[in-house]
Amino acid sequence: MLFSSISFLYYFLPLALALYFVSPRKLKNAALLLASLVFYGWGEPKYVLLMGLSILLGFGFGLLVEKYRENRAGKIFCAVSVSVSLAFLLCFKYADFFLISFREATGLNVPLLRLALPIGISFYTFQIISYTVDVYRGQAAQRNLIDLAAYVAMFPQLIAGPIVRYSDIADQLAGREHSWHGAAWGIRRFVIGLAKKILLANQLGELCSAFRASEEKSVLFCWMYAVAFALHIYFDFSGYSDMAIGLGRVLGFRFQENFNYPYISASITEFWRRWHISLGTWFRDYVYIPLGGNRRGRERQLLNILAVWMLTGFWHGAAWNFVLWGLFFAVLLTAEKLWLLKRLEKSRLLSHFYTLFFVMISFVIFNADNLGQAFSDLSGLVGGGGIPLVSADAVYCLRSFGTVLLAGGIGATPAVRGLAGKISQSTAGAKVWTAAEPAVLAALLLVMTAYLVDGSFNPFLYFRF
């Protein structure tokens, strides 16, 4: 089920919230779990069983890890739990990728498994792993299966994050406050995220689709595509994160922020502190630091960076272009660690353009169907293949999508938030906005509903991960 759908907004969500808030405090997690299972099973009910099995195993291993964590057995149970979770992920997400690679390398006709990818498996697998490891590190194990299941299956962030770590919300699972102020803040955040998705991401996605369908490629069109996709994936994913954080606040949870205007960054290092923050901190705390981080010398640190970014790329998808995407960032981050970062600090403007350029290049690689298409798209940026500088399709799309490109560029900066902040700082402005905000949000929701009724199916990009 999609957040940006009529069925979710006007059927599922009102019923789920009604069930949640009429439930007594002791049963709220059970109500949340029930709603989450319905949400997840809406499209493919059989994969609820896979998630349920993963939760049961995580629950059992968590108790065993806590009981024996002072002994070697605790470490073994933790390792087995992590291995089992990763085995599920490898089987459903990567098995055919490895089999295809084996077939191409050996020429043997090995049959493929052709398993459908369970939606959100990358996210809930990482959450179960974080739970087990947090228990091994000293966090109290969860003794209520329903509470643990509610954490893993929580519908606001189940499908596409942010990755919520157990240690961050363990206390909130046991007891959390609900308030009108928190609910109002959450609704506002949800509507803003929905607007990012419907009014910006979906429109930018149409430009990307037009580029793919066009037989009149040009250098201008290739660059328009690179800019459009960079903005598309930002508004798509940050919009989902806004909606998840907003819904979490309505339910009394406080989730970690996942984006902090990454396109204003002045280095790739800064970009990854602002982009998909929950994934970056997860890999830092559960992979990079356990491997030794920067504590074992410069050479080991660089190897650790390489390992983390290969895994980060591979986490995004079972294809070589994702591996290349991860290695691309590993090279840039290594260069910045060794010498480039100090030079970038000399000019904020040049370093900003450097960051935007390489981020756009990375997303061209990211969005390709395969390595061949990635290299073709990249060569198009410099006129490869003899394509012209300008084409009729490029001019038409520039006229059609110029406004949304401009709006996306402005919306990806703190400019709008800064303007709103200045208005709210004045007494008169604060009064006007307080009175007008409900009407503005309602009108925005009405416009987006019209888009949904008239629009086509457009899932979130990170659903496939």
Side-chain angles (χ1 to χ4, degrees), residues 4 22 32 63 92 94 178 207 258 439:
S4 55
V22 300
L32 176 58
L63 294 174
F92 283 91
Y94 301 105
H178 302 87
L207 173 53
N258 212 22

Side-chain angles (χ1 to χ4, degrees), residues 148-167:
L148 181 65
Y151 154 67
V152 175
M154 196 180 303
F155 76 85
Q157 49 72 231
L158 169 65
I159 302 299
I163 300 172
V164 178
R165 291 160 55 172
Y166 179 76
S167 58

Side-chain angles (χ1 to χ4, degrees), residues 114-129:
R114 302 191 186 281
L115 297 173
L117 178 64
I119 292 175
I121 188 172
S122 297
F123 289 91
Y124 74 70
T125 295
F126 272 26
Q127 292 193 177
I128 293 172
I129 290 174

Side-chain angles (χ1 to χ4, degrees), residues 357-369:
F357 173 79
F358 282 111
V359 167
M360 283 194 293
I361 294 298
S362 78
F363 281 135
V364 170
I365 298 171
F366 183 94
N367 196 46
D369 292 333

